[in-house]
Amino acid sequence: MVSYRKRGEVWQYEISYKDNDGQYKKLRRSGFRLKSDAELAASKVRTDFVDVRQYRNAELSLADFFERWLNLYKAGSVSDITLRKYTNTLEHIRQIFGDIKLKDLNRSLYQDRINHFAQTHAVRTVSTFHKQIRAALLDALDEHVIIFDPTRKTVITGKSVKPRRKALDYEDWQKLIHNLDPTDQDDLIIYVAAVTGMRYAEILGLTPDDLDLSTGLLRINKTWDYKYRTGFKKTKNRASIRTIPLDSKTIGRLNEYILDHEIAQNTPVFLTDGVAPVSAQINKVLTEKLNKLGLPRITFHGLRHTHASVLGSRIFGVDTNNARDSRSIFV
């Protein structure tokens, strides 16, 4: 039901409707110079939106709508890691789009905001940002919260990013491992990754009983959840469960570290008071070490690529993923 009234020098329309709980609510808008202007505006609301509740939703900011969409459709249905990515997108939306409402969002405004985001982010990041927003807005379109898709034909650009080197060559690898302190926890973690190609979570999952000193074999059969601190977890897949031979130097360094820190047989070697160093910390230590030695920057995961490359070229004479994780490299 729509009614009109004059308030001073301007006209107001009032639309009565029921909310989702069945309670009667009123939508009022005023400031129209003529009654016909108020009638036209009220008519547009009733024409563009199936009911007034959708009009109310269209008055939400993009950030608030995305947050509600995220909690409704994604929370509980995607992995924690994926949910974090959506949450990160929400934070960027708040920064880039501010309080812009859904009803005010058009193609030009959306493209302008995406271009602004692209000034400081790589194309891949911009593309992911756009896809996640678009998914929410297409649902809004399906629900008649908006009457057109402002993301249609969006042009994706981004900051030019120099490709990061993925691995060290043999000489750089040698220089790195010979400048790591085996008594320092972070350095020893980096060392183990460099000579075995183990994943970070696998290294954190190592316990003294995984190391067989008599045979020099290391059993990899579990990982440690360093992100959410839930304890031991399964390996990435069944193929990740394996046994690798270690060189004498690596065996000695690990055994000495275990004895010096009096680590119990079933306790993770690299935890301090039950807490594992986060991957960002190890990457920072690695970056600082590489910079100090004048070596190319790689990520911690790049040590795994380095191991595969060095092991293949030095032992098998080829650079192949089949060599990855087959053994530690004699140093």
Side-chain angles (χ1 to χ4, degrees):
M1 177 179 175
V2 186
S3 61
Y4 305 91
R5 60 182 297 187
K6 192 171 186 179
R7 300 176 62 87
E9 298 297 321
V10 297
W11 281 87
Q12 169 188 287
Y13 71 74
E14 179 180 282
I15 303 177
S16 299
Y17 68 98
K18 284 185 179 181
D19 64 13
N20 291 327
D21 297 324
Q23 301 295 316
Y24 277 100
K25 296 289 181 67
K26 296 182 183 295
L27 172 66
R28 299 186 181 94
R29 293 291 181 270
S30 62
F32 302 99
R33 188 172 62 86
L34 302 174
K35 181 180 180 181
S36 58
D37 293 335
E39 291 174 337
L40 181 62
S43 176
K44 180 172 177 56
V45 171
R46 293 170 64 84
T47 299
D48 289 346
F49 300 92
V50 175
D51 62 45
V52 180
R53 287 172 295 181
Q54 293 165 339
Y55 180 81
R56 286 289 197 190
N57 289 336
E59 290 197 312
L60 291 172
S61 69
L62 172 60
D64 288 343
F65 179 82
F66 187 88
E67 181 175 23
R68 192 171 72 174
W69 174 85
L70 175 59
N71 292 330
L72 183 61
Y73 292 105
K74 298 302 177 183
S77 64
V78 298
S79 69
D80 291 335
I81 294 177
T82 300
L83 186 61
R84 282 191 175 189
K85 293 178 181 179
Y86 278 104
T87 302
N88 187 51
T89 292
L90 173 60
E91 294 305 312
H92 284 308
I93 290 174
R94 295 197 186 284
Q95 296 170 13
I96 302 300
F97 288 88
D99 296 327
I100 295 174
K101 297 179 179 180
L102 291 181
K103 67 184 183 66
D104 297 326
L105 194 60
N106 54 44
R107 284 185 59 199
S108 296
L109 179 55
Y110 182 80
Q111 182 71 67
D112 176 74
R113 296 293 79 202
I114 289 295
N115 290 347
H116 181 75
F117 184 72
Q119 292 177 7
T120 54
H121 294 82
V123 173
R124 183 176 179 180
T125 303
V126 178
S127 178
T128 300
F129 182 58
H130 161 68
K131 287 178 180 178
Q132 293 185 350
I133 296 175
R134 190 164 196 263
L137 289 179
L138 287 179
D139 280 346
L141 184 63
D142 287 344
E143 297 167 8
H144 304 287
V145 174
I146 55 178
I147 58 176
F148 63 89
D149 175 16
T151 68
R152 181 172 174 268
K153 294 185 177 180
T154 299
V155 178
I156 302 300
T157 59
K159 182 180 178 181
S160 178
V161 178
K162 184 179 180 180
R164 179 180 293 176
R165 187 166 175 176
K166 290 187 176 181
L168 300 175
D169 60 28
Y170 179 75
E171 287 73 20
D172 290 341
W173 172 82
Q174 280 277 335
K175 188 174 182 180
L176 172 64
I177 63 174
H178 287 300
N179 282 277
L180 293 170
D181 180 359
T183 65
D184 179 83
Q185 181 193 64
D186 293 343
D187 275 21
L188 186 56
I189 290 175
I190 293 170
Y191 176 86
V192 171
V195 300
T196 67
M198 293 172 64
R199 298 178 178 89
Y200 186 55
E202 292 173 343
I203 294 175
L204 295 183
L206 287 179
T207 57
D209 54 11
D210 294 325
L211 181 62
D212 189 331
L213 296 177
S214 62
T215 61
L217 295 178
L218 179 66
R219 293 181 294 272
I220 301 170
N221 51 33
K222 58 189 175 303
T223 65
W224 183 265
D225 181 9
Y226 61 91
K227 293 182 179 179
Y228 305 109
R229 302 181 181 181
T230 60
F232 288 115
K233 293 179 63 178
K234 294 181 180 179
T235 55
K236 183 178 181 181
N237 49 51
R238 294 178 68 88
S240 297
I241 300 175
R242 59 204 188 276
T243 300
I244 61 175
L246 299 180
D247 62 275
S248 58
K249 182 178 290 186
T250 301
I251 294 172
R253 289 184 173 185
L254 281 171
N255 188 49
E256 186 175 351
Y257 185 87
I258 290 169
L259 293 175
D260 286 347
H261 292 80
E262 300 180 343
I263 301 170
Q265 285 299 299
N266 60 351
T267 302
V269 173
F270 295 110
L271 266 61
T272 302
D273 297 326
V275 179
V278 295
S279 57
Q281 173 189 332
I282 295 297
N283 268 301
K284 181 180 179 182
V285 172
L286 175 59
T287 297
E288 290 174 349
K289 181 70 67 173
L290 293 171
N291 287 339
K292 183 177 180 180
L293 296 173
L295 300 177
R297 183 189 174 194
I298 61 169
T299 63
F300 185 87
H301 189 73
L303 295 173
R304 183 166 166 80
H305 293 291
T306 298
H307 172 266
S309 177
V310 171
L311 182 62
S313 62
R314 301 296 295 183
I315 298 178
F316 296 98
V318 293
D319 185 1
T320 172
N321 286 333
N322 292 329
R324 179 175 292 174
D325 296 328
S326 60
R327 66 177 74 184
S328 68
I329 303 174
F330 297 151
V331 295

